[in-house]
Amino acid sequence: MLPYLAITVFAIFEGEIYYNAVCAKAVAGDLQWLPVIVAGALGGAAGDQVWFYVLQGRIHWLDRNPRLGKYREIVPARVPSHETGIVLASRFLPGLRTAIPIACAYAGVRPIKFSLLNLTSAFAWASAIMLIVKSGSQTLAALGVNAWWGPFIPAVLVILFFRWLARPSGRQP
């Protein structure tokens, strides 16, 4: 029971590194793979949801900062039309796991919708990592992500997300 609790706690705060290691232990037979997936998914979802629930309805203090206040109209206009895809993708975007729940809280995404989508995403994330670890070291190479540029993919996605979020919506109020 204790190893699975540790998986949940580490997934709340850190994510991939520890979870990859315990997936390897599950593949080796030292841990059971289903509880590893459940613990990783619950911890990952809890980490995302802390930001969402803590900041929901309380994030308007950001308006006091002139650099952030200019996004007051843009974020609520942009996020709701894409909230399902944003939340489902959030677990797979390491640099955005904090930003997406904050943006969703700021935009007023319904809590039940955020929680269900986030939990679905977390289970997909935990299962995908287990599958990649179980499939072996050649899995990422088969997907074409073994080149020198592979680590830059998350960074590019973070930049693109913030540029998209900050872009004027084209609609005039």
Side-chain angles (χ1 to χ4, degrees):
M1 180 68 170
L2 191 58
Y4 303 106
L5 180 60
I7 295 167
T8 302
V9 171
F10 274 96
I12 289 171
F13 296 108
E14 183 271 323
E16 277 83 7
I17 296 171
Y18 185 78
Y19 187 69
N20 277 303
V22 294
C23 284
K25 284 186 173 193
V27 169
D30 296 338
L31 295 170
Q32 296 177 2
W33 65 270
L34 186 58
V36 168
I37 290 174
V38 170
L42 292 177
D48 299 339
Q49 291 186 37
V50 164
W51 290 107
F52 178 79
Y53 283 102
V54 165
L55 295 174
Q56 190 180 25
R58 296 175 191 89
I59 200 163
H60 296 289
W61 56 268
L62 288 175
D63 295 342
R64 290 186 223 144
N65 181 321
R67 291 187 71 190
L68 296 175
K70 68 182 179 179
Y71 299 109
R72 181 173 196 215
E73 317 263 320
I74 296 170
V75 172
R78 182 75 38 122
V79 171
S81 60
H82 303 285
E83 63 191 26
T84 299
I86 290 171
V87 176
L88 286 174
S90 67
R91 273 304 321 147
F92 295 92
L93 302 170
L96 297 173
R97 285 204 203 115
T98 302
I100 288 175
I102 291 171
C104 289
Y106 193 73
V109 173
R110 288 190 349 250
I112 188 73
K113 183 174 185 178
F114 180 84
S115 293
L116 290 175
L117 289 172
N118 180 254
L119 193 57
T120 300
S121 179
F123 272 97
W125 168 81
S127 299
I129 290 177
M130 179 66 79
L131 181 63
I132 289 170
V133 170
K134 186 169 178 53
S135 299
S137 62
Q138 295 304 313
T139 305
L140 291 178
L143 296 172
V145 189
N146 63 335
W148 64 268
W149 49 265
F152 292 103
I153 293 172
V156 169
L157 291 173
V158 168
I159 292 166
L160 291 174
F161 174 76
F162 282 109
R163 289 193 51 94
W164 169 79
L165 195 60
R167 186 183 72 199
S169 65
R171 287 185 246 151
Q172 299 297 326

